[in-house]
């Protein structure tokens, strides 16, 4: 079994910064792609960013130029540096990881962390 634990969410003023972390643990042989999604109340889930094991990244249009995704493969940990935060960034952020446990690939999700940006 694999667990993903997110941390770093909280309340910040508009224009501020937060750094989210997503640490994977358990039966991990390797991790392929990882990423972040977010969902605000009454809105659809939205892609924030993804990163491959080789470091290739992809961003949602609404966060390009403000957010940076990175990962430390040795620690099985992914990060999301969020700068110039806006009230519309308020949402629950959830990470996922496409994990190879040696028996095949399985996508695991974290429990989510709340990010609230005040105006």
């Amino acid at each position: 079994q694999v667990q993903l634990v997110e941390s770093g969410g909280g309340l910040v003023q508009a224009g501020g910064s937060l750094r989210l972390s997503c640490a994977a643990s358990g039966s991990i042989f390797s991790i392929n792609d990882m990423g972040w999604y977010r969902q605000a109340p009454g809105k659809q889930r939205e892609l924030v960013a993804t990163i491959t094991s080789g470091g290739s990244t992809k961003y949602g249009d609404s966060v390009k130029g403000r957010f940076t995704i990175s990962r430390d493969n040795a620690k099985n940990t992914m990060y999301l540096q969020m700068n110039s935060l806006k009230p519309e960034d308020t949402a629950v952020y959830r990470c996922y990881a496409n994990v190879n446990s040696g028996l095949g690939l399985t996508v695991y999700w974290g429990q989510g962390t709340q990010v609230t940006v005040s105006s």
Side-chain angles (χ1 to χ4, degrees):
Q1 190 63 288
V2 174
Q3 297 80 39
L4 299 184
V5 178
E6 297 131 335
S7 60
L11 173 64
V12 65
Q13 287 189 330
S17 298
L18 283 174
R19 188 192 194 208
L20 304 183
S21 298
C22 174
S25 62
S27 300
I28 300 171
F29 179 73
S30 63
I31 301 178
N32 289 6
D33 55 301
M34 304 179 77
W36 296 90
Y37 279 79
R38 69 185 183 186
Q39 188 164 21
K43 295 187 177 181
Q44 290 189 332
R45 187 178 67 176
E46 178 187 15
L47 168 72
V48 178
T50 63
I51 185 167
T52 67
S53 57
S56 296
T57 60
K58 176 183 177 182
Y59 294 93
D61 288 341
S62 61
V63 306
K64 284 180 182 177
R66 300 187 297 123
F67 291 10
T68 302
I69 190 171
S70 61
R71 63 190 281 177
D72 184 334
N73 291 331
K75 296 181 179 180
N76 289 331
T77 300
M78 172 180 62
Y79 307 96
L80 184 69
Q81 178 66 43
M82 306 186 293
N83 298 329
S84 302
L85 283 161
K86 305 175 181 179
E88 50 264 44
D89 293 317
T90 296
V92 174
Y93 286 68
R94 293 185 71 190
C95 67
Y96 78 88
N98 196 2
V99 177
N100 180 0
S101 63
L103 300 176
L105 290 172
T106 304
V107 177
Y108 293 92
W109 289 88
Q111 78 286 358
T113 186
Q114 177 70 46
V115 171
T116 303
V117 184
S118 63
S119 57

